[in-house]
Amino acid sequence: LPPAAAVAAADAAPASATPFAAGSDTATAGLAVTLRDNGRQFASGSAVLTPEAESLFREVADQYSYSKQLARLGASPSEEDRAAVEALKTRRILLVGHTDDTGSTTENANLSERRAAAVARVFQSQGVAAANLYYQGAGETLPVADNHTEAGRAANRRVEIVDLTDD
């Protein structure tokens, strides 16, 4: 993806993505994953993952790590398994950070991008190629819960994983 590539959102409105490293082309959004953890990914106003969330994102990142999945294949993998692991070399992942609605819209936009970048660093530390990682902040614009309760605000502080496809 080029430095501010357009990624089609669920409502077909374009959004920009910041590459974690240099990329090459444009894609549309694919499978999106939200990890439901009862709102314990980030404290309010923070871009630092909780230890629980960092552990969870490491486990997810392992599934996208070519080197880790190659090591797990065993001596005689099926062609299908081998192809699935080989596909990880070029699999692109978009990480979308979110916030609750406390604070200003500008602060929330910046905070959500820092949250996505924090998860991108975890993915890279687990062996996912930086060139395949992209992140963006959505601020407070896409809540999954009611921002009028502490539990709702906590649930809205999250990073979602979008598996980008070439289809």
Side-chain angles (χ1 to χ4, degrees):
L1 292 169
V7 178
D11 63 357
S16 66
T18 304
F20 193 67
S24 62
D25 62 358
T26 303
T28 56
L31 174 67
V33 177
T34 302
L35 303 175
R36 299 286 180 194
D37 69 348
N38 298 321
R40 294 185 301 263
Q41 289 183 16
F42 300 93
S44 183
S46 175
V48 176
L49 284 161
T50 65
E52 177 185 1
E54 187 169 341
S55 176
L56 181 62
F57 279 115
R58 275 196 309 267
E59 289 178 31
V60 173
D62 282 350
Q63 302 306 308
Y64 289 98
S65 172
Y66 172 76
S67 60
K68 291 186 179 193
Q69 292 305 312
L70 185 62
R72 292 181 181 147
L73 271 182
S76 54
S78 70
E79 285 186 38
E80 183 179 315
D81 288 345
R82 180 75 173 168
V85 170
E86 288 299 317
L88 293 174
K89 287 181 179 178
T90 58
R91 171 103 10 115
R92 292 170 301 179
I93 302 159
L94 173 63
L95 302 163
V96 183
H98 299 271
T99 65
D100 58 32
D101 68 353
T102 58
S104 76
T105 299
T106 301
E107 289 170 357
N108 286 336
N110 292 332
L111 176 59
S112 65
E113 186 165 325
R114 291 194 317 273
R115 286 177 174 170
V119 174
R121 286 189 294 276
V122 170
F123 271 60
Q124 188 178 19
S125 75
Q126 294 306 108
V128 178
N132 294 341
L133 294 171
Y134 304 86
Y135 62 90
Q136 72 181 32
E140 63 206 39
T141 62
L142 300 168
V144 293
D146 185 354
N147 272 309
H148 293 99
T149 68
E150 180 51 41
R153 288 187 297 274
N156 290 327
R157 297 189 293 266
R158 68 196 189 281
V159 172
E160 294 176 331
I161 302 163
V162 181
D163 189 339
L164 300 176
T165 64
D166 290 330
D167 298 337

